[in-house]
Amino acid sequence: MTATPPSHPGLEPLFDITELAEYLGVPLSTIYDWRTRGLGPRAYRFGKRLKFALSDVRAWMEEQREATPGTPSSDRG
């Protein structure tokens, strides 16, 4: 996997939308769809650019975890 944001002392790693799609193993169109539907991890907007903090991505991932195997954690549509 090549989506490794550069590290800067004191700054949390940020993914751009392409890196996020690669990190999660989903098509870029899925990320855009999630954004349109109000799903997916929170993002920072810098002008026209979206950036996703690694901590927000991990927190969002944890919310997606099944409560028990085979059971959705919530009704995400």
Side-chain angles (χ1 to χ4, degrees), residues 1-72:
M1 174 162 43
T2 60
T4 305
S7 62
H8 299 283
L11 294 177
E12 179 176 15
L14 298 175
F15 290 108
D16 67 27
I17 199 161
T18 303
E19 292 168 328
L20 177 63
E22 186 174 329
Y23 181 76
L24 295 176
V26 299
L28 185 59
S29 60
T30 298
I31 305 295
Y32 284 115
D33 181 58
W34 288 343
R35 301 254 332 138
T36 300
R37 295 172 42 203
L39 306 172
R42 295 174 15 174
Y44 293 99
R45 181 174 296 279
F46 300 103
K48 294 182 179 181
R49 308 276 183 213
L50 292 172
K51 295 289 185 172
F52 300 84
L54 184 55
S55 62
D56 288 338
V57 172
R58 287 181 174 161
W60 175 83
M61 288 173 61
E62 190 60 33
E63 292 170 4
Q64 307 315 301
R65 185 174 289 203
E66 296 175 330
T68 58
T71 306

